Amino acid sequence: MKKYVCKICGYIYDEANEKVKFDDLPDDWKCPLCGAPKSMFQLLEEESENIKEKNIENNPVVEEDMREMTYGELSALCSNLSRGCEKQYLSRESELFKKLSDYYDKKSKEKNEDNYNIDALIDKINNDLETNYKKAREISEKEKDRGALRIITWGEKVTLILKSLLTSYQSKGEDSFKDKKIYVCDICGFIYVGNEVPSICPICKVPSFKILEIGKEVR
Amino acid sequence: MKTQKIRAVRNLRLCSKDCLCLYVCPTGATDTETGQIDFQKCIGCGKCAMACPAGAISMVPYQYPKQQEKSNRVVQRLNTVLKSKVEQEHIAYQLYQNSSSQVEKQFLKAIIRSNRLLAEDTVREAGYMLPQSRNTHEFLKPLLDSKEEDFPKDIVNELLEILECNES
């Protein structure tokens, strides 16, 4: 009897309590708690292996001295500050940062490219999972920066979900979303595809009223 | 500038409309057409927060403490993540623009939103937690020298004027 754990929400599939062996579950089986696909589960004993894997190279951080931010980054910085002001009930300040964010967003969208495909997204996601998050985690652990570790933990999980959704979309096309709704957690960015939204977000644990449906495009 | 240190704010989702705050408020600040407290009238006495049976009113300071220091190494690493998430938002947006499928557009919209939220949260942990921080002010000031003709300097000017800086 084996146990498998969901990498997103921590749900445990314990074969001792189930009628079906994990390997015999259908490919489209989903985590009953958060809706993550079967591929997001790992054998529970494997966890100790992960820790060994953590001695990633100890190379010094490449000095990326005060680099200029891109329009897109400036837009995200300003929309973050807008949300910060909103949380403090500073409505005018929030509105102004939002306008600044929209200005930069428009600038960033002026640059129009049409040579992208889904693979370009998956490449970036793989690089995040294999390199960017790992290095960020290593440094944050050394510095004992738990705030940074929080966004790294949430971000890695959201990115894993994105990867599995994109991979499924590549192989099954629009059938991946047939008769299903799409939601995004407005706090951490978790994407849920299905019809039973979890009562709390499996990643950041916010109650479901902050998990918002993404409407269909109206023509 | 306000001389008092704190003010009341109402969480509209928690408010159960028991209206005890209206009876105890000495200045009428809790009774407004928007549902939010009138911050101009609020004197920060805290009576409404004590009376509220739903716990919907809390007292918040005008001056926030200095935000947590971030090490350069952590900031650099988080900036790498930020860059990647912003690029993914951009790719998803381009795909969205060029897609003609309703369902695919809906999916891409979710990806755009998700990446934007990740980017915002990452930059927040990379030194931009508090709008009143020195970092924010030092980010805003040089924007006034922008060479872009359509840059909205009036917005930056107003922000620098009304947004307090809690680090000298």
Side-chain angles (χ1 to χ4, degrees):
Chain A
M1 291 293 172
K2 292 174 187 165
K3 285 182 185 171
Y4 294 82
V5 62
C6 173
K7 284 196 265 183
I8 304 301
C9 69
Y11 176 85
I12 290 175
Y13 189 91
D14 187 348
E15 290 184 340
N17 304 327
E18 307 284 346
K19 291 187 186 118
V20 186
K21 282 225 162 113
F22 186 78
D23 284 342
D24 297 334
L25 288 168
D27 285 342
D28 60 357
W29 179 84
K30 293 215 164 13
C31 172
L33 197 58
C34 74
K38 194 180 170 188
S39 58
M40 284 294 126
F41 279 70
Q42 75 180 157
L43 238 186
L44 210 51
E45 290 121 32
E46 282 174 14
E47 266 186 329
S48 51
E49 294 289 317
N50 275 350
I51 296 162
K52 268 185 253 162
E53 209 188 295
K54 272 185 188 160
N55 56 357
I56 346 170
E57 72 272 50
N58 217 342
N59 51 5
V61 180
V62 198
E63 279 298 328
E64 254 189 276
D65 43 2
M66 291 306 283
R67 69 202 172 94
E68 288 265 311
M69 281 183 142
T70 63
Y71 285 133
E73 288 166 19
L74 289 164
S75 178
L77 168 54
C78 291
S79 59
N80 158 53
L81 292 169
S82 172
R83 276 165 83 96
C85 290
E86 194 188 351
K87 281 183 199 292
Q88 291 183 24
Y89 301 85
L90 300 171
S91 52
R92 179 66 183 156
E93 290 86 337
S94 173
E95 188 188 329
L96 291 168
F97 274 121
K98 180 72 177 47
K99 280 187 182 161
L100 209 48
S101 169
D102 289 346
Y103 167 80
Y104 285 124
D105 195 43
K106 208 176 121 220
K107 285 272 171 191
S108 124
K109 284 170 177 169
E110 278 170 7
K111 203 172 59 165
N112 208 322
E113 291 116 304
D114 54 8
N115 50 345
Y116 287 125
N117 50 32
I118 298 281
D119 282 327
L121 270 181
I122 297 184
D123 285 348
K124 294 244 174 254
I125 284 176
N126 283 335
N127 188 42
D128 282 349
L129 293 172
E130 285 154 22
T131 311
N132 294 340
Y133 277 127
K134 275 196 181 155
K135 288 187 175 171
R137 178 178 293 279
E138 191 194 24
I139 299 292
S140 304
E141 274 169 358
K142 272 192 195 137
E143 302 280 350
K144 299 191 171 55
D145 187 332
R146 298 188 65 181
L149 285 169
R150 176 196 59 77
I151 181 53
I152 292 164
T153 303
W154 291 6
E156 266 182 326
K157 291 182 172 186
V158 172
T159 307
L160 272 168
I161 282 275
L162 270 165
K163 182 182 173 176
S164 78
L165 289 172
L166 284 162
T167 316
S168 147
Y169 180 64
Q170 270 193 324
S171 63
K172 288 196 282 184
E174 294 185 3
D175 280 353
S176 328
F177 308 113
K178 201 163 179 260
D179 304 322
K180 285 176 188 151
K181 290 177 179 171
I182 304 179
Y183 298 81
V184 178
C185 170
D186 202 38
I187 301 302
C188 69
F190 162 69
I191 299 185
Y192 173 77
V193 176
N195 296 313
E196 285 162 61
V197 186
S199 63
I200 59 167
C201 171
I203 293 174
C204 72
K205 317 296 180 201
V206 75
S208 66
F209 73 88
K210 291 204 173 166
I211 306 179
L212 309 178
E213 187 181 348
I214 301 291
K216 279 219 169 60
E217 289 286 307
V218 259
R219 287 176 208 224
Chain B
M1 214 193 99
K2 288 264 174 184
T3 47
Q4 83 214 33
K5 289 192 169 66
I6 53 171
R7 61 176 178 160
V9 295
R10 181 186 286 124
N11 182 321
L12 290 171
R13 187 178 52 81
L14 295 177
C15 173
S16 49
K17 312 292 183 286
D18 288 295
C19 297
L20 286 172
C21 58
L22 306 189
Y23 306 141
V24 300
C25 178
T27 65
T30 54
D31 194 5
T32 64
E33 77 287 0
T34 57
Q36 191 46 269
I37 311 277
D38 183 336
F39 302 136
Q40 300 304 317
K41 287 187 189 163
C42 175
I43 54 167
C45 69
K47 291 201 167 71
C48 55
M50 281 188 280
C52 178
I57 299 181
S58 48
M59 305 302 296
V60 297
Y62 274 97
Q63 281 236 323
Y64 285 82
K66 210 174 140 207
Q67 70 178 10
Q68 295 301 304
E69 295 271 351
K70 290 283 172 175
S71 89
N72 281 336
R73 299 201 302 169
V74 169
V75 168
Q76 278 168 345
R77 282 296 162 214
L78 290 179
N79 280 341
T80 311
V81 174
L82 167 68
K83 183 167 182 278
S84 176
K85 297 306 175 192
V86 166
E87 285 169 358
Q88 288 170 58
E89 182 190 333
H90 189 70
I91 295 174
Y93 175 75
Q94 299 295 337
L95 292 172
Y96 173 89
Q97 286 296 94
N98 297 316
S99 169
S100 51
S101 147
Q102 225 185 344
V103 177
E104 186 179 68
K105 273 181 170 281
Q106 189 191 7
F107 178 41
L108 287 165
K109 215 156 88 178
I111 296 179
I112 293 168
R113 184 76 194 127
S114 176
N115 275 298
R116 170 54 66 112
L117 288 160
L118 288 173
E120 285 176 354
D121 206 350
T122 306
V123 75
R124 181 175 313 143
E125 287 296 341
Y128 292 98
M129 173 80 71
L130 197 72
Q132 294 92 338
S133 67
R134 189 199 294 152
N135 275 0
T136 301
H137 280 257
E138 284 179 0
F139 156 69
L140 286 172
K141 278 180 213 153
L143 298 183
L144 290 173
D145 303 325
S146 168
K147 300 277 186 291
E148 315 256 7
E149 272 178 25
D150 57 346
F151 184 78
K153 288 192 185 171
D154 52 325
I155 292 181
V156 178
N157 270 322
E158 189 180 341
L159 273 172
L160 284 168
E161 199 189 304
I162 61 175
L163 192 66
E164 279 186 43
C165 181
N166 70 344
E167 297 169 69
S168 48

